[in-house]
Amino acid sequence: MSPTSLYTLSKRGISIRSGARKNIMNVYSRLREENPQESISEIVRKVSELTGVSKRTVFRLKMEKKTLSTLSSGKKRPGAVGLRKRLVKYDDFTLSCIRRKIHGFFRKNEIPTLSKVLKEVNDDAEIFSKNISRSTLYRLLKDMGFTFEKRKRQAVLLERHDIILWRRNYLRKIRELREENAPIYYLDETWVNEGHSETRVWQDNYKKQLSSNLTVCLTAPKGKGRLIITHIGSKEGFVRDAADIFIGKKSGDYHEEMDGNHFEKWFETAMPKLKPQSIIVMDNAPYHSKKKEKTPTSSWKKCAIQEWLTEKKVTWNQDLIKIELLQKVNDTKHLYNGYRVEEIAEKFGHKKF
């Protein structure tokens, strides 16, 4: 096969990758060095004939190299640009609604085809004010992280059995308490920055206004202090005069700002303000779950475990190893596993749930 038969022109519209771009410019540089008497147009024509790209492309690469000192990769990324635009265009509520529609098919053990999802989405007026096209939904699902791939044997997230049992017991018990019309209060913490405000506002950028003494925009608040807020309330609203607000000093997780002593002091002042025999629901934050006393764990030294057992009047022998001592602790520690907030609540006739 002759070398001439191997020569092919580059198709128009095909992107030239970075390696090919470098090769084209290497050919141009070599011809320019070997033929200094020839004009640039003649060199470009020869490069075009040798590489199979148009003269216009060679000229463009030459100017790009001269202007930017480096060549771009030539790889277009319209998908990335579109992804940014779509995820900015649709808010988190809209994206969550679409995701919930698809997970609804999973729960029904039904295949969520694009046509089915499109119908579900367009039929729900709360998601979009007007119907979206099939292609838009397809691209949006790809941007959200959905992939169209082969099904797996186990393609669902499985919860731990203890979490399932805990949730079912909680829901069953809270339903019984509501049927009994027991006063139920919910307690939690949150935070807010002192300078919280809208970050984007209308501003007047007209040149004449900028050169005058008129106010052209609102300045952002300077306050950066963080306030930690603890409150308790029921279906009737927040408990009056029960909020605890203080200034935080750290920039990390706001849970680090609260300690057991501070929380328990506030908790005890809030208890008299609740209805008699109230139920208090709270999460398992560390300062909510501080025990009345520590019980031995595997990190304790053997002598410390022996002292604890002796203090609790539990018999043990000197020939027992650490594992056997911990077994005796496990048989006994349920008597000493109470929480300090439970003790405070019971003192006022309430119950932590």
Side-chain angles (χ1 to χ4, degrees), residues 245-264:
I245 304 175
F246 66 93
I247 300 176
K249 299 180 180 179
K250 299 180 181 179
S251 58
D253 186 356
Y254 74 89
H255 289 93
E256 299 176 0
E257 303 281 350
M258 180 76 73
D259 58 28
N261 294 331
H262 182 99
F263 174 79
E264 289 166 15

Side-chain angles (χ1 to χ4, degrees), residues 46-59:
K46 290 182 178 181
V47 174
S48 177
E49 291 178 352
L50 291 173
T51 58
V53 299
S54 67
K55 291 188 290 184
R56 181 178 179 181
T57 300
V58 179
F59 268 116

Side-chain angles (χ1 to χ4, degrees), residues 201-310:
V201 297
W202 287 104
Q203 302 184 30
D204 188 356
N205 292 321
Y206 190 55
K207 294 182 179 179
K208 292 183 179 179
Q209 297 281 36
L210 292 176
S211 62
S212 68
N213 294 325
L214 297 178
T215 301
V216 296
C217 63
L218 289 174
T219 58
K222 297 181 180 180
K224 294 183 179 180
R226 186 163 65 166
L227 302 177
I228 312 300
I229 304 171
T230 306
H231 216 328
I232 185 170
S234 65
K235 64 181 180 180
E236 298 175 357
F238 288 110
V239 177
R240 186 178 180 85
D241 299 328
D244 176 45
I245 304 175
F246 66 93
I247 300 176
K249 299 180 180 179
K250 299 180 181 179
S251 58
D253 186 356
Y254 74 89
H255 289 93
E256 299 176 0
E257 303 281 350
M258 180 76 73
D259 58 28
N261 294 331
H262 182 99
F263 174 79
E264 289 166 15
K265 183 178 179 180
W266 168 83
F267 188 75
E268 188 161 5
T269 61
M271 291 300 96
K273 302 173 183 178
L274 308 185
K275 293 182 178 180
Q277 297 182 341
S278 295
I279 306 297
I280 306 167
V281 181
M282 65 180 74
D283 58 23
N284 290 326
Y287 41 85
H288 294 170
S289 307
K290 197 171 182 179
K291 294 184 177 181
K292 291 187 289 186
E293 63 175 286
K294 294 182 179 180
T295 55
T297 63
S298 58
S299 62
W300 283 36
K301 292 183 178 180
K302 183 178 179 180
C303 60
I305 299 174
Q306 292 172 340
E307 291 177 3
W308 188 88
L309 291 172
T310 301

Side-chain angles (χ1 to χ4, degrees), residues 123-138:
D123 287 347
D124 193 338
E126 294 184 356
I127 300 180
F128 296 110
S129 57
K130 61 180 181 180
N131 291 353
I132 64 170
S133 65
R134 181 187 178 93
S135 58
T136 300
L137 178 62
Y138 171 81

